Amino acid sequence: MADSEIEITAELVHDLLRDQHPDLAGLPIREVAGGWDNRMWRLGDELAVRMPRTERAPALQRKERRWLPVLAPRLPLPVPTPVRIGEPSARFPRHWSMMTWVPGAPLDCASISRDDHAAGTLAGFLRALHVAAPAGAPAGSDRGAHPKKCTDGFEEFLRAVVPGGVTADVRAIRDVWDDAVAAPEWEAPPVWLHGDLHPANVVVSEGTLSGVIDFGDMCAGDPAWDLAAAWLLLPAGAGSRFFEAYAQADEATIRRARGLAALKSLFLILMGQNGERGIPGGKPTWGPAGRVALDRVLAFS
């Protein structure tokens, strides 16, 4: 279902609520900027309505509804949890979800000032999340895999981004990536992953991390995918404090994580460039976040 097929408006959301959840229809509704697979509307103070707008979005919402109630109770930061389900109807032919609202500002529009606190908070969150996943846990496609399986994506992003003004030495970026590709694979059982930790998928309050959102890409795999967040989210210099507090990453895992952080930084820069050019799906706020993250990746030693 492409964006053009159905116009998702406040009136539509209100009508769906009135038809299926009339006890909530009187709450104020306002759209929340951002979102990739879903458009999101804040409902009152405590709820969010997520309306799928891509073909893959309904499957991602089903995954969140199945697994977030399992994961959320053991996580030390607030995460969205399912509250109710919207059924397909003549007005909107897909399932849709109501989730708890996680307060805070997304990091691509805010900043962290309490570096050590944020590093410890992120480490504690990932330690709690990164436990062996059950046999029925969703598998990722490339997410959760060794970086060597993502080389085509790395090359694509690097070619697309360099003409747009990346000032870092391209050879240095390649060296980080090549080192990650050469690192030994994760040999322990796959662990639970968020799968898509970047500045738009965490929220901050009072200068530190206060919540994690958008678990649509959760899967089982190599923890290096989430540990890349040390460079994507934390201010310069906080990475060492993070890995000290996490205390479960060996040298090979850190090498893979750093390479994946380079890959994800390039993707953020590319999405920022697309946003500046008005290309659908582009995110103008992601570009600056990606550039500073890439600088942190290259400065790490």
Side-chain angles (χ1 to χ4, degrees):
M1 184 172 62
D3 284 356
S4 59
E5 292 183 20
I6 297 177
E7 183 181 5
I8 305 172
T9 63
E11 180 182 8
L12 172 62
V13 175
H14 179 266
D15 288 348
L16 293 173
L17 289 169
R18 184 187 58 200
D19 293 344
Q20 299 187 30
H21 301 279
D23 59 314
L24 301 177
L27 294 175
I29 302 171
R30 63 179 178 86
E31 187 169 11
V32 179
W36 189 285
D37 292 291
N38 303 281
R39 291 185 70 175
M40 187 161 69
W41 301 78
R42 188 167 182 180
L43 181 63
D45 293 329
E46 299 180 355
L47 298 175
V49 178
R50 301 179 75 210
M51 306 293 294
R53 65 178 180 186
T54 67
E55 288 291 344
R56 74 179 200 138
L60 301 183
Q61 287 198 12
R62 285 195 299 273
K63 181 166 50 171
E64 289 181 315
R65 291 195 297 266
R66 166 66 180 87
W67 291 107
L68 275 174
V70 175
L71 295 175
R74 69 160 179 262
L75 298 177
L77 284 176
V79 301
T81 53
V83 175
R84 300 191 191 183
I85 299 172
E87 298 293 336
S89 66
R91 293 292 307 275
F92 192 79
R94 302 276 186 179
H95 284 94
W96 43 281
S97 299
M98 271 183 278
M99 316 284 284
T100 55
W101 176 260
V102 179
L107 184 54
D108 61 323
C109 300
S111 63
I112 290 172
S113 57
R114 298 165 62 193
D115 300 13
D116 284 351
H117 188 281
T121 299
L122 179 62
F125 177 84
L126 291 181
R127 278 201 316 271
L129 176 63
H130 289 170
V131 298
S141 49
D142 56 350
R143 295 177 194 270
H146 191 279
K148 64 186 177 184
K149 296 187 178 180
C150 304
T151 295
D152 288 347
F154 171 80
E155 294 294 342
E156 177 186 349
F157 297 156
L158 186 61
R159 285 194 301 269
V161 164
V162 167
V166 169
T167 57
D169 180 61
V170 173
R171 182 67 261 167
I173 301 172
R174 287 193 178 279
D175 286 346
V176 170
W177 180 252
D178 290 345
D179 184 60
V181 169
E185 298 200 27
W186 176 253
E187 295 182 350
V191 301
W192 274 114
L193 305 176
H194 177 280
D196 197 24
L197 283 177
H198 62 71
N201 283 344
V202 298
V203 296
V204 298
S205 301
E206 299 180 350
T208 191
L209 292 173
S210 58
V212 179
I213 60 176
D214 198 346
F215 281 73
D217 286 305
M218 76 173 81
C219 61
D222 179 356
W225 274 82
D226 282 352
L227 298 179
W231 294 275
L232 294 173
L233 305 181
L234 299 175
S240 297
R241 168 75 180 92
F242 164 80
F243 283 110
E244 178 184 345
Y246 181 76
Q248 298 174 186
D250 59 16
E251 178 186 358
T253 301
I254 294 174
R255 289 166 60 192
R256 296 191 306 274
R258 188 182 179 207
L260 291 166
L263 170 75
K264 295 180 180 190
S265 297
L266 292 171
F267 175 72
L268 291 173
I269 295 168
L270 177 58
M271 291 300 99
Q273 291 177 357
N274 288 348
E276 292 166 1
R277 296 167 183 160
I279 297 174
K283 306 288 185 181
T285 59
W286 290 17
R291 290 186 180 92
V292 297
L294 187 57
D295 288 342
R296 292 192 288 259
V297 168
L298 297 177
F300 185 83
S301 61

